[in-house]
Amino acid sequence: LVGADDEFDAALRRAGVVRLGNVGQMYAAASALFSHFRPRGNRLAIVTNGGGPGVMAADHAADIGIPLAKLDPATVNKLNDSLPATWSKTNPLDIVGDADPARYATALAACLEDDQVDGVLAILTPQAMTDPTQAARTVIEMAHKSDKPLVTCWMGQDQVSEARLLFKGAGIPSFRTPEPAVELFSHISAYYRNQQLLMQTPASIADHALPRLESAKLVIETALLEGRKTLNEMESKALLAAFHIP
């Protein structure tokens, strides 16, 4: 009977439900929600050793309504002291192509400690000086020190296969491309938001006018006497009016 999908979507949100688009998203979201993460807001920080994938992630975040976190000035100062002068100075955090595991640890620690950041996406592209496996171990160590959502995207195939197995064993969501990783973070943040909605209760109606029950009964009984199980428009409005519903 509902002709527009937005009503159904709103009802699901109000009931605390996260709505997904496909089976792949369902498996990813289920695994993330049963991890050690504590879902919170939707401000995402992106840490990457490749500028292009970082921009792709940021663009997709904008497309689906996920804001990039604005790093606290203290966080930026801390990163300026620890990262090469050529790092991006903003979010996405491009920590430069020769980033080693220690540089990932520095950037992730700063983001996870920043109150302006609700979750982090770590991206790695295999490059000449990259150690994907050791970088993955570093990310896992950092993830276990925080309850903020941390999602990974180790791009490539053979060079990152061991890292993906490590992420799987540690219960950290891992993807081959940035876009589904961003989508998973959006589902995690939607879960938090919808659970907050679920905990809200309507205001008390104790001070409202009492319903006109006799008027409501008269509308329904008239329809039943005529052998009808559906009210017409005028009757429907009269029934709502009896309960002071505009």
PDB file of all heavy atoms in Angstrom, residues 61-101:
ATOM      1  N   ALA A  61      32.644   9.190  -0.605  1.00  0.00           N
ATOM      2  CA  ALA A  61      32.081   9.605   0.686  1.00  0.00           C
ATOM      3  C   ALA A  61      31.140  10.791   0.490  1.00  0.00           C
ATOM      4  O   ALA A  61      30.042  10.831   1.057  1.00  0.00           O
ATOM      5  CB  ALA A  61      33.201   9.957   1.663  1.00  0.00           C
ATOM      6  N   ALA A  62      31.563  11.759  -0.335  1.00  0.00           N
ATOM      7  CA  ALA A  62      30.700  12.913  -0.606  1.00  0.00           C
ATOM      8  C   ALA A  62      29.423  12.490  -1.310  1.00  0.00           C
ATOM      9  O   ALA A  62      28.340  13.014  -1.038  1.00  0.00           O
ATOM     10  CB  ALA A  62      31.462  13.936  -1.449  1.00  0.00           C
ATOM     11  N   ASP A  63      29.534  11.524  -2.235  1.00  0.00           N
ATOM     12  CA  ASP A  63      28.362  11.063  -2.990  1.00  0.00           C
ATOM     13  C   ASP A  63      27.304  10.443  -2.079  1.00  0.00           C
ATOM     14  O   ASP A  63      26.099  10.555  -2.359  1.00  0.00           O
ATOM     15  CB  ASP A  63      28.778  10.041  -4.054  1.00  0.00           C
ATOM     16  CG  ASP A  63      29.568  10.670  -5.189  1.00  0.00           C
ATOM     17  OD1 ASP A  63      29.492  11.903  -5.355  1.00  0.00           O
ATOM     18  OD2 ASP A  63      30.268   9.921  -5.906  1.00  0.00           O
ATOM     19  N   ILE A  64      27.719   9.765  -1.013  1.00  0.00           N
ATOM     20  CA  ILE A  64      26.753   9.064  -0.162  1.00  0.00           C
ATOM     21  C   ILE A  64      26.532   9.780   1.170  1.00  0.00           C
ATOM     22  O   ILE A  64      25.966   9.210   2.101  1.00  0.00           O
ATOM     23  CB  ILE A  64      27.164   7.592   0.077  1.00  0.00           C
ATOM     24  CG1 ILE A  64      28.514   7.504   0.789  1.00  0.00           C
ATOM     25  CG2 ILE A  64      27.222   6.840  -1.244  1.00  0.00           C
ATOM     26  CD1 ILE A  64      28.906   6.060   1.131  1.00  0.00           C
ATOM     27  N   GLY A  65      26.993  11.024   1.261  1.00  0.00           N
ATOM     28  CA  GLY A  65      26.681  11.839   2.435  1.00  0.00           C
ATOM     29  C   GLY A  65      27.526  11.573   3.660  1.00  0.00           C
ATOM     30  O   GLY A  65      27.086  11.824   4.788  1.00  0.00           O
ATOM     31  N   ILE A  66      28.749  11.081   3.467  1.00  0.00           N
ATOM     32  CA  ILE A  66      29.660  10.865   4.597  1.00  0.00           C
ATOM     33  C   ILE A  66      30.666  12.015   4.632  1.00  0.00           C
ATOM     34  O   ILE A  66      31.480  12.159   3.713  1.00  0.00           O
ATOM     35  CB  ILE A  66      30.404   9.522   4.463  1.00  0.00           C
ATOM     36  CG1 ILE A  66      29.423   8.363   4.582  1.00  0.00           C
ATOM     37  CG2 ILE A  66      31.491   9.391   5.514  1.00  0.00           C
ATOM     38  CD1 ILE A  66      28.736   8.248   5.925  1.00  0.00           C
ATOM     39  N   PRO A  67      30.641  12.843   5.667  1.00  0.00           N
ATOM     40  CA  PRO A  67      31.575  13.977   5.721  1.00  0.00           C
ATOM     41  C   PRO A  67      32.976  13.525   6.122  1.00  0.00           C
ATOM     42  O   PRO A  67      33.145  12.631   6.957  1.00  0.00           O
ATOM     43  CB  PRO A  67      30.956  14.869   6.797  1.00  0.00           C
ATOM     44  CG  PRO A  67      30.236  13.918   7.699  1.00  0.00           C
ATOM     45  CD  PRO A  67      29.720  12.804   6.823  1.00  0.00           C
ATOM     46  N   LEU A  68      33.976  14.141   5.508  1.00  0.00           N
ATOM     47  CA  LEU A  68      35.348  13.897   5.939  1.00  0.00           C
ATOM     48  C   LEU A  68      35.601  14.667   7.236  1.00  0.00           C
ATOM     49  O   LEU A  68      35.206  15.822   7.372  1.00  0.00           O
ATOM     50  CB  LEU A  68      36.334  14.345   4.870  1.00  0.00           C
ATOM     51  CG  LEU A  68      36.303  13.584   3.541  1.00  0.00           C
ATOM     52  CD1 LEU A  68      37.451  14.043   2.650  1.00  0.00           C
ATOM     53  CD2 LEU A  68      36.374  12.076   3.755  1.00  0.00           C
ATOM     54  N   ALA A  69      36.255  14.009   8.170  1.00  0.00           N
ATOM     55  CA  ALA A  69      36.548  14.636   9.452  1.00  0.00           C
ATOM     56  C   ALA A  69      37.498  15.811   9.262  1.00  0.00           C
ATOM     57  O   ALA A  69      38.441  15.738   8.470  1.00  0.00           O
ATOM     58  CB  ALA A  69      37.161  13.608  10.404  1.00  0.00           C
ATOM     59  N   LYS A  70      37.234  16.903   9.976  1.00  0.00           N
ATOM     60  CA  LYS A  70      38.150  18.041  10.003  1.00  0.00           C
ATOM     61  C   LYS A  70      39.090  17.843  11.184  1.00  0.00           C
ATOM     62  O   LYS A  70      38.678  17.927  12.336  1.00  0.00           O
ATOM     63  CB  LYS A  70      37.364  19.347  10.133  1.00  0.00           C
ATOM     64  CG  LYS A  70      36.498  19.652   8.917  1.00  0.00           C
ATOM     65  CD  LYS A  70      35.777  20.987   9.070  1.00  0.00           C
ATOM     66  CE  LYS A  70      34.946  21.294   7.829  1.00  0.00           C
ATOM     67  NZ  LYS A  70      34.212  22.585   7.951  1.00  0.00           N
ATOM     68  N   LEU A  71      40.341  17.568  10.878  1.00  0.00           N
ATOM     69  CA  LEU A  71      41.295  17.240  11.924  1.00  0.00           C
ATOM     70  C   LEU A  71      41.495  18.409  12.877  1.00  0.00           C
ATOM     71  O   LEU A  71      41.535  19.570  12.462  1.00  0.00           O
ATOM     72  CB  LEU A  71      42.636  16.854  11.305  1.00  0.00           C
ATOM     73  CG  LEU A  71      42.626  15.642  10.359  1.00  0.00           C
ATOM     74  CD1 LEU A  71      44.024  15.412   9.802  1.00  0.00           C
ATOM     75  CD2 LEU A  71      42.120  14.398  11.071  1.00  0.00           C
ATOM     76  N   ASP A  72      41.614  18.077  14.147  1.00  0.00           N
ATOM     77  CA  ASP A  72      41.920  19.091  15.156  1.00  0.00           C
ATOM     78  C   ASP A  72      43.289  19.700  14.837  1.00  0.00           C
ATOM     79  O   ASP A  72      44.213  18.985  14.424  1.00  0.00           O
ATOM     80  CB  ASP A  72      41.936  18.425  16.535  1.00  0.00           C
ATOM     81  CG  ASP A  72      42.057  19.431  17.656  1.00  0.00           C
ATOM     82  OD1 ASP A  72      43.179  19.919  17.880  1.00  0.00           O
ATOM     83  OD2 ASP A  72      41.040  19.716  18.306  1.00  0.00           O
ATOM     84  N   PRO A  73      43.447  21.015  15.013  1.00  0.00           N
ATOM     85  CA  PRO A  73      44.756  21.638  14.746  1.00  0.00           C
ATOM     86  C   PRO A  73      45.896  20.964  15.495  1.00  0.00           C
ATOM     87  O   PRO A  73      47.015  20.868  14.980  1.00  0.00           O
ATOM     88  CB  PRO A  73      44.548  23.078  15.204  1.00  0.00           C
ATOM     89  CG  PRO A  73      43.078  23.319  15.032  1.00  0.00           C
ATOM     90  CD  PRO A  73      42.417  22.021  15.342  1.00  0.00           C
ATOM     91  N   ALA A  74      45.634  20.481  16.701  1.00  0.00           N
ATOM     92  CA  ALA A  74      46.681  19.789  17.465  1.00  0.00           C
ATOM     93  C   ALA A  74      47.111  18.509  16.760  1.00  0.00           C
ATOM     94  O   ALA A  74      48.294  18.135  16.780  1.00  0.00           O
ATOM     95  CB  ALA A  74      46.180  19.479  18.873  1.00  0.00           C
ATOM     96  N   THR A  75      46.150  17.834  16.134  1.00  0.00           N
ATOM     97  CA  THR A  75      46.474  16.618  15.379  1.00  0.00           C
ATOM     98  C   THR A  75      47.342  16.951  14.179  1.00  0.00           C
ATOM     99  O   THR A  75      48.330  16.255  13.899  1.00  0.00           O
ATOM    100  CB  THR A  75      45.180  15.923  14.916  1.00  0.00           C
ATOM    101  OG1 THR A  75      44.394  15.572  16.058  1.00  0.00           O
ATOM    102  CG2 THR A  75      45.488  14.678  14.118  1.00  0.00           C
ATOM    103  N   VAL A  76      46.991  18.018  13.466  1.00  0.00           N
ATOM    104  CA  VAL A  76      47.773  18.426  12.298  1.00  0.00           C
ATOM    105  C   VAL A  76      49.199  18.789  12.723  1.00  0.00           C
ATOM    106  O   VAL A  76      50.176  18.407  12.065  1.00  0.00           O
ATOM    107  CB  VAL A  76      47.104  19.610  11.585  1.00  0.00           C
ATOM    108  CG1 VAL A  76      47.974  20.104  10.427  1.00  0.00           C
ATOM    109  CG2 VAL A  76      45.726  19.207  11.069  1.00  0.00           C
ATOM    110  N   ASN A  77      49.346  19.502  13.825  1.00  0.00           N
ATOM    111  CA  ASN A  77      50.678  19.869  14.317  1.00  0.00           C
ATOM    112  C   ASN A  77      51.488  18.628  14.676  1.00  0.00           C
ATOM    113  O   ASN A  77      52.698  18.548  14.389  1.00  0.00           O
ATOM    114  CB  ASN A  77      50.567  20.782  15.537  1.00  0.00           C
ATOM    115  CG  ASN A  77      50.033  22.161  15.185  1.00  0.00           C
ATOM    116  OD1 ASN A  77      50.172  22.609  14.047  1.00  0.00           O
ATOM    117  ND2 ASN A  77      49.417  22.821  16.151  1.00  0.00           N
ATOM    118  N   LYS A  78      50.829  17.662  15.294  1.00  0.00           N
ATOM    119  CA  LYS A  78      51.516  16.424  15.660  1.00  0.00           C
ATOM    120  C   LYS A  78      51.990  15.684  14.408  1.00  0.00           C
ATOM    121  O   LYS A  78      53.126  15.174  14.365  1.00  0.00           O
ATOM    122  CB  LYS A  78      50.556  15.538  16.467  1.00  0.00           C
ATOM    123  CG  LYS A  78      51.181  14.272  17.020  1.00  0.00           C
ATOM    124  CD  LYS A  78      50.133  13.386  17.677  1.00  0.00           C
ATOM    125  CE  LYS A  78      49.368  14.104  18.771  1.00  0.00           C
ATOM    126  NZ  LYS A  78      48.385  13.195  19.423  1.00  0.00           N
ATOM    127  N   LEU A  79      51.152  15.655  13.388  1.00  0.00           N
ATOM    128  CA  LEU A  79      51.529  14.981  12.145  1.00  0.00           C
ATOM    129  C   LEU A  79      52.631  15.743  11.412  1.00  0.00           C
ATOM    130  O   LEU A  79      53.507  15.129  10.794  1.00  0.00           O
ATOM    131  CB  LEU A  79      50.292  14.827  11.252  1.00  0.00           C
ATOM    132  CG  LEU A  79      49.225  13.859  11.784  1.00  0.00           C
ATOM    133  CD1 LEU A  79      47.951  13.955  10.960  1.00  0.00           C
ATOM    134  CD2 LEU A  79      49.756  12.431  11.771  1.00  0.00           C
ATOM    135  N   ASN A  80      52.584  17.060  11.474  1.00  0.00           N
ATOM    136  CA  ASN A  80      53.646  17.851  10.845  1.00  0.00           C
ATOM    137  C   ASN A  80      55.007  17.531  11.446  1.00  0.00           C
ATOM    138  O   ASN A  80      56.033  17.562  10.750  1.00  0.00           O
ATOM    139  CB  ASN A  80      53.362  19.349  10.992  1.00  0.00           C
ATOM    140  CG  ASN A  80      52.319  19.835  10.009  1.00  0.00           C
ATOM    141  OD1 ASN A  80      52.148  19.271   8.928  1.00  0.00           O
ATOM    142  ND2 ASN A  80      51.607  20.897  10.376  1.00  0.00           N
ATOM    143  N   ASP A  81      55.021  17.228  12.728  1.00  0.00           N
ATOM    144  CA  ASP A  81      56.285  16.911  13.403  1.00  0.00           C
ATOM    145  C   ASP A  81      56.790  15.515  13.064  1.00  0.00           C
ATOM    146  O   ASP A  81      57.987  15.240  13.223  1.00  0.00           O
ATOM    147  CB  ASP A  81      56.116  17.018  14.927  1.00  0.00           C
ATOM    148  CG  ASP A  81      55.867  18.447  15.385  1.00  0.00           C
ATOM    149  OD1 ASP A  81      56.235  19.372  14.641  1.00  0.00           O
ATOM    150  OD2 ASP A  81      55.280  18.617  16.477  1.00  0.00           O
ATOM    151  N   SER A  82      55.876  14.633  12.590  1.00  0.00           N
ATOM    152  CA  SER A  82      56.245  13.225  12.419  1.00  0.00           C
ATOM    153  C   SER A  82      56.288  12.761  10.965  1.00  0.00           C
ATOM    154  O   SER A  82      57.029  11.819  10.650  1.00  0.00           O
ATOM    155  CB  SER A  82      55.248  12.333  13.185  1.00  0.00           C
ATOM    156  OG  SER A  82      55.154  12.711  14.544  1.00  0.00           O
ATOM    157  N   LEU A  83      55.528  13.391  10.103  1.00  0.00           N
ATOM    158  CA  LEU A  83      55.438  12.945   8.711  1.00  0.00           C
ATOM    159  C   LEU A  83      56.334  13.789   7.810  1.00  0.00           C
ATOM    160  O   LEU A  83      56.744  14.892   8.186  1.00  0.00           O
ATOM    161  CB  LEU A  83      53.983  13.048   8.234  1.00  0.00           C
ATOM    162  CG  LEU A  83      52.958  12.175   8.958  1.00  0.00           C
ATOM    163  CD1 LEU A  83      51.567  12.391   8.359  1.00  0.00           C
ATOM    164  CD2 LEU A  83      53.334  10.698   8.897  1.00  0.00           C
ATOM    165  N   PRO A  84      56.617  13.281   6.607  1.00  0.00           N
ATOM    166  CA  PRO A  84      57.410  14.072   5.664  1.00  0.00           C
ATOM    167  C   PRO A  84      56.715  15.390   5.335  1.00  0.00           C
ATOM    168  O   PRO A  84      55.479  15.490   5.401  1.00  0.00           O
ATOM    169  CB  PRO A  84      57.484  13.174   4.422  1.00  0.00           C
ATOM    170  CG  PRO A  84      57.198  11.809   4.926  1.00  0.00           C
ATOM    171  CD  PRO A  84      56.269  11.955   6.080  1.00  0.00           C
ATOM    172  N   ALA A  85      57.484  16.380   4.976  1.00  0.00           N
ATOM    173  CA  ALA A  85      56.922  17.703   4.683  1.00  0.00           C
ATOM    174  C   ALA A  85      55.949  17.657   3.511  1.00  0.00           C
ATOM    175  O   ALA A  85      55.116  18.556   3.360  1.00  0.00           O
ATOM    176  CB  ALA A  85      58.052  18.685   4.376  1.00  0.00           C
ATOM    177  N   THR A  86      56.014  16.605   2.701  1.00  0.00           N
ATOM    178  CA  THR A  86      55.162  16.513   1.512  1.00  0.00           C
ATOM    179  C   THR A  86      53.814  15.851   1.779  1.00  0.00           C
ATOM    180  O   THR A  86      53.052  15.630   0.841  1.00  0.00           O
ATOM    181  CB  THR A  86      55.881  15.731   0.408  1.00  0.00           C
ATOM    182  OG1 THR A  86      56.365  14.486   0.946  1.00  0.00           O
ATOM    183  CG2 THR A  86      57.060  16.530  -0.138  1.00  0.00           C
ATOM    184  N   TRP A  87      53.523  15.501   3.029  1.00  0.00           N
ATOM    185  CA  TRP A  87      52.206  14.892   3.276  1.00  0.00           C
ATOM    186  C   TRP A  87      51.107  15.925   2.994  1.00  0.00           C
ATOM    187  O   TRP A  87      51.352  17.127   2.939  1.00  0.00           O
ATOM    188  CB  TRP A  87      52.121  14.332   4.699  1.00  0.00           C
ATOM    189  CG  TRP A  87      51.784  15.298   5.796  1.00  0.00           C
ATOM    190  CD1 TRP A  87      52.626  16.197   6.384  1.00  0.00           C
ATOM    191  CD2 TRP A  87      50.517  15.455   6.454  1.00  0.00           C
ATOM    192  NE1 TRP A  87      51.980  16.907   7.363  1.00  0.00           N
ATOM    193  CE2 TRP A  87      50.672  16.479   7.435  1.00  0.00           C
ATOM    194  CE3 TRP A  87      49.270  14.850   6.318  1.00  0.00           C
ATOM    195  CZ2 TRP A  87      49.630  16.889   8.257  1.00  0.00           C
ATOM    196  CZ3 TRP A  87      48.237  15.252   7.143  1.00  0.00           C
ATOM    197  CH2 TRP A  87      48.423  16.260   8.093  1.00  0.00           C
ATOM    198  N   SER A  88      49.886  15.486   2.832  1.00  0.00           N
ATOM    199  CA  SER A  88      48.816  16.322   2.287  1.00  0.00           C
ATOM    200  C   SER A  88      48.375  17.457   3.195  1.00  0.00           C
ATOM    201  O   SER A  88      47.692  18.380   2.741  1.00  0.00           O
ATOM    202  CB  SER A  88      47.604  15.451   1.937  1.00  0.00           C
ATOM    203  OG  SER A  88      47.112  14.802   3.101  1.00  0.00           O
ATOM    204  N   LYS A  89      48.680  17.398   4.473  1.00  0.00           N
ATOM    205  CA  LYS A  89      48.310  18.438   5.451  1.00  0.00           C
ATOM    206  C   LYS A  89      46.804  18.514   5.699  1.00  0.00           C
ATOM    207  O   LYS A  89      46.325  19.443   6.338  1.00  0.00           O
ATOM    208  CB  LYS A  89      48.783  19.832   5.002  1.00  0.00           C
ATOM    209  CG  LYS A  89      50.268  19.924   4.676  1.00  0.00           C
ATOM    210  CD  LYS A  89      51.130  19.791   5.919  1.00  0.00           C
ATOM    211  CE  LYS A  89      52.578  20.211   5.660  1.00  0.00           C
ATOM    212  NZ  LYS A  89      53.236  19.457   4.593  1.00  0.00           N
ATOM    213  N   THR A  90      46.050  17.580   5.173  1.00  0.00           N
ATOM    214  CA  THR A  90      44.605  17.607   5.340  1.00  0.00           C
ATOM    215  C   THR A  90      44.058  16.199   5.178  1.00  0.00           C
ATOM    216  O   THR A  90      44.809  15.245   4.951  1.00  0.00           O
ATOM    217  CB  THR A  90      43.957  18.575   4.324  1.00  0.00           C
ATOM    218  OG1 THR A  90      42.562  18.706   4.614  1.00  0.00           O
ATOM    219  CG2 THR A  90      44.122  18.068   2.899  1.00  0.00           C
ATOM    220  N   ASN A  91      42.767  16.057   5.293  1.00  0.00           N
ATOM    221  CA  ASN A  91      42.060  14.787   5.138  1.00  0.00           C
ATOM    222  C   ASN A  91      41.430  14.744   3.741  1.00  0.00           C
ATOM    223  O   ASN A  91      40.675  15.665   3.418  1.00  0.00           O
ATOM    224  CB  ASN A  91      40.975  14.684   6.217  1.00  0.00           C
ATOM    225  CG  ASN A  91      40.256  13.349   6.237  1.00  0.00           C
ATOM    226  OD1 ASN A  91      40.715  12.367   5.681  1.00  0.00           O
ATOM    227  ND2 ASN A  91      39.108  13.323   6.898  1.00  0.00           N
ATOM    228  N   PRO A  92      41.746  13.734   2.898  1.00  0.00           N
ATOM    229  CA  PRO A  92      42.508  12.523   3.153  1.00  0.00           C
ATOM    230  C   PRO A  92      43.984  12.779   3.487  1.00  0.00           C
ATOM    231  O   PRO A  92      44.604  13.664   2.909  1.00  0.00           O
ATOM    232  CB  PRO A  92      42.399  11.750   1.832  1.00  0.00           C
ATOM    233  CG  PRO A  92      41.226  12.322   1.126  1.00  0.00           C
ATOM    234  CD  PRO A  92      41.172  13.760   1.535  1.00  0.00           C
ATOM    235  N   LEU A  93      44.503  11.942   4.374  1.00  0.00           N
ATOM    236  CA  LEU A  93      45.900  12.054   4.777  1.00  0.00           C
ATOM    237  C   LEU A  93      46.754  11.242   3.811  1.00  0.00           C
ATOM    238  O   LEU A  93      46.842  10.007   3.922  1.00  0.00           O
ATOM    239  CB  LEU A  93      46.107  11.535   6.202  1.00  0.00           C
ATOM    240  CG  LEU A  93      45.596  12.387   7.358  1.00  0.00           C
ATOM    241  CD1 LEU A  93      44.071  12.275   7.488  1.00  0.00           C
ATOM    242  CD2 LEU A  93      46.237  11.940   8.659  1.00  0.00           C
ATOM    243  N   ASP A  94      47.348  11.897   2.840  1.00  0.00           N
ATOM    244  CA  ASP A  94      48.271  11.238   1.924  1.00  0.00           C
ATOM    245  C   ASP A  94      49.637  11.238   2.584  1.00  0.00           C
ATOM    246  O   ASP A  94      50.304  12.272   2.666  1.00  0.00           O
ATOM    247  CB  ASP A  94      48.297  11.984   0.583  1.00  0.00           C
ATOM    248  CG  ASP A  94      49.183  11.295  -0.446  1.00  0.00           C
ATOM    249  OD1 ASP A  94      49.897  10.331  -0.083  1.00  0.00           O
ATOM    250  OD2 ASP A  94      49.175  11.726  -1.618  1.00  0.00           O
ATOM    251  N   ILE A  95      50.058  10.066   3.075  1.00  0.00           N
ATOM    252  CA  ILE A  95      51.322   9.976   3.812  1.00  0.00           C
ATOM    253  C   ILE A  95      52.477   9.597   2.887  1.00  0.00           C
ATOM    254  O   ILE A  95      53.525   9.153   3.360  1.00  0.00           O
ATOM    255  CB  ILE A  95      51.205   9.011   5.002  1.00  0.00           C
ATOM    256  CG1 ILE A  95      50.790   7.606   4.550  1.00  0.00           C
ATOM    257  CG2 ILE A  95      50.201   9.549   6.019  1.00  0.00           C
ATOM    258  CD1 ILE A  95      50.768   6.585   5.704  1.00  0.00           C
ATOM    259  N   VAL A  96      52.278   9.744   1.597  1.00  0.00           N
ATOM    260  CA  VAL A  96      53.290   9.633   0.554  1.00  0.00           C
ATOM    261  C   VAL A  96      53.596   8.166   0.217  1.00  0.00           C
ATOM    262  O   VAL A  96      53.504   7.283   1.075  1.00  0.00           O
ATOM    263  CB  VAL A  96      54.588  10.397   0.913  1.00  0.00           C
ATOM    264  CG1 VAL A  96      55.471  10.566  -0.311  1.00  0.00           C
ATOM    265  CG2 VAL A  96      54.255  11.768   1.499  1.00  0.00           C
ATOM    266  N   GLY A  97      53.966   7.942  -1.028  1.00  0.00           N
ATOM    267  CA  GLY A  97      54.092   6.591  -1.567  1.00  0.00           C
ATOM    268  C   GLY A  97      55.109   5.706  -0.897  1.00  0.00           C
ATOM    269  O   GLY A  97      54.968   4.477  -0.939  1.00  0.00           O
ATOM    270  N   ASP A  98      56.139   6.257  -0.266  1.00  0.00           N
ATOM    271  CA  ASP A  98      57.150   5.408   0.371  1.00  0.00           C
ATOM    272  C   ASP A  98      56.840   5.150   1.846  1.00  0.00           C
ATOM    273  O   ASP A  98      57.723   4.778   2.616  1.00  0.00           O
ATOM    274  CB  ASP A  98      58.535   6.040   0.231  1.00  0.00           C
ATOM    275  CG  ASP A  98      58.642   7.384   0.940  1.00  0.00           C
ATOM    276  OD1 ASP A  98      57.590   7.921   1.361  1.00  0.00           O
ATOM    277  OD2 ASP A  98      59.771   7.893   1.079  1.00  0.00           O
ATOM    278  N   ALA A  99      55.569   5.327   2.224  1.00  0.00           N
ATOM    279  CA  ALA A  99      55.190   5.170   3.634  1.00  0.00           C
ATOM    280  C   ALA A  99      55.520   3.768   4.143  1.00  0.00           C
ATOM    281  O   ALA A  99      55.127   2.766   3.537  1.00  0.00           O
ATOM    282  CB  ALA A  99      53.704   5.455   3.808  1.00  0.00           C
ATOM    283  N   ASP A 100      56.227   3.707   5.269  1.00  0.00           N
ATOM    284  CA  ASP A 100      56.530   2.424   5.896  1.00  0.00           C
ATOM    285  C   ASP A 100      55.519   2.163   7.016  1.00  0.00           C
ATOM    286  O   ASP A 100      54.666   3.015   7.318  1.00  0.00           O
ATOM    287  CB  ASP A 100      57.963   2.423   6.426  1.00  0.00           C
ATOM    288  CG  ASP A 100      58.221   3.534   7.445  1.00  0.00           C
ATOM    289  OD1 ASP A 100      57.252   4.204   7.847  1.00  0.00           O
ATOM    290  OD2 ASP A 100      59.389   3.724   7.822  1.00  0.00           O
ATOM    291  N   PRO A 101      55.553   0.980   7.622  1.00  0.00           N
ATOM    292  CA  PRO A 101      54.589   0.672   8.693  1.00  0.00           C
ATOM    293  C   PRO A 101      54.591   1.695   9.820  1.00  0.00           C
ATOM    294  O   PRO A 101      53.529   2.013  10.377  1.00  0.00           O
ATOM    295  CB  PRO A 101      55.044  -0.704   9.177  1.00  0.00           C
ATOM    296  CG  PRO A 101      55.668  -1.328   7.965  1.00  0.00           C
ATOM    297  CD  PRO A 101      56.357  -0.205   7.264  1.00  0.00           C
TER     298      PRO A 101
END
